[in-house]
Every structure is written in C-alpha cells, then in structure tokens.
C-alpha cells in the first residue's frame, strides 16, 4: 500500500539522511520528493500483529527517537482511486508501480 509522509524537518531531531535511512529500513520501497515529503510503500499487514496500521506504526514507533512534542509529522494511506495530484513524473511513475505486498522488491 502507498503512503505519503509529510514533515517539517526543522522540528525533528535528525537530518534528512537519517530520516531517509529510517524510511528505507521500514518500507518495501520509497521515493523522496523533498526533505519534507516522501512516498513509501509498506504491506497492509506489515504490523497487523500489533493491531495498528503501517502508517501509524511508522510515526509512533519508527520515528519516536526523532520526534518531540513540537514535531510536525503526519502520514496517510494513498487510496487506489479518487485522488488527484500534480507531481513530478518520477513520483507519478513510483505511484504507478504495482503494489504487491512482496517486501523483497525494493526501488530506491
């Protein structure tokens, strides 16, 4: 499933490179739009045994060491239909990739 992650990097306790490492380790593939905006893919059942969605787990657990009470971060699932965007072609291509739940495929 595709997700969008948005943040104000100046409110996090990490660099863009450190954030990218966390996203890369957590997701099956990702695409960086800017230091503050990312697309990533994670299987819907990645953390289902914990009874949370992958996007919730990403913010509340994976990024925990980088956030403070003043951090600005949010993530959400991108629906398969019913959304509209104006993005660079490489981001459009990323969102066009088949969303298999196969964690072995990684595109960076």
């Amino acid at each position: 499933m595709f997700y969008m992650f948005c943040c104000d990097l100046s409110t996090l306790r990490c660099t863009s490179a450190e954030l990218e490492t966390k996203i890369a380790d957590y997701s099956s593939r990702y695409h960086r739009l800017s230091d503050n905006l990312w697309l990533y893919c994670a299987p819907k059942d990645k953390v289902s045994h914990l009874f949370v969605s992958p996007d919730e787990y990403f913010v509340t657990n994976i990024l925990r060491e980088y956030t403070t009470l003043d951090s600005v971060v949010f993530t959400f699932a991108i629906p398969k239909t019913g959304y509209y965007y104006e993005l660079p072609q490489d981001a459009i291509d990323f969102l066009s990739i088949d969303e298999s739940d196969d964690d072995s495929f990684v595109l960076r």
Side-chain angles (χ1 to χ4, degrees):
M1 183 157 202
F2 289 111
Y3 299 90
M4 181 171 278
F5 172 68
C6 309
C7 68
D8 180 347
L9 191 60
S10 69
T11 66
L12 298 177
R13 296 181 301 195
C14 64
T15 65
S16 179
E18 291 169 324
L19 179 59
E20 184 168 357
T21 298
K22 288 289 188 181
I23 295 169
D25 290 345
Y26 179 71
S27 65
S28 53
R29 58 183 175 260
Y30 69 93
H31 180 77
R32 178 179 176 235
L33 292 165
S34 71
D35 285 347
N36 299 312
L37 189 59
W38 303 77
L39 300 171
Y40 67 97
C41 190
K44 289 183 275 189
D45 62 352
K46 184 170 184 84
V47 290
S48 62
H49 63 286
L50 300 172
F51 303 104
V52 297
S53 65
D55 53 335
E56 179 183 352
Y57 186 82
F58 179 68
V59 170
T60 60
N61 292 284
I62 302 300
L63 297 182
R64 180 177 292 164
E65 68 184 279
Y66 296 152
T67 59
T68 68
L69 293 176
D70 297 321
S71 293
V72 177
V73 298
F74 67 95
T75 186
F76 57 90
I78 299 174
K80 289 183 184 257
T81 60
Y83 67 97
Y84 306 93
Y85 52 81
E86 185 66 37
L87 296 170
Q89 188 60 48
D90 55 344
I92 292 169
D93 293 343
F94 177 83
L95 291 172
S96 299
I97 295 171
D98 181 32
E99 297 180 59
S100 91
D101 285 340
D102 180 12
D103 275 340
S104 64
F105 178 73
V106 177
L107 174 69
R108 294 195 176 116

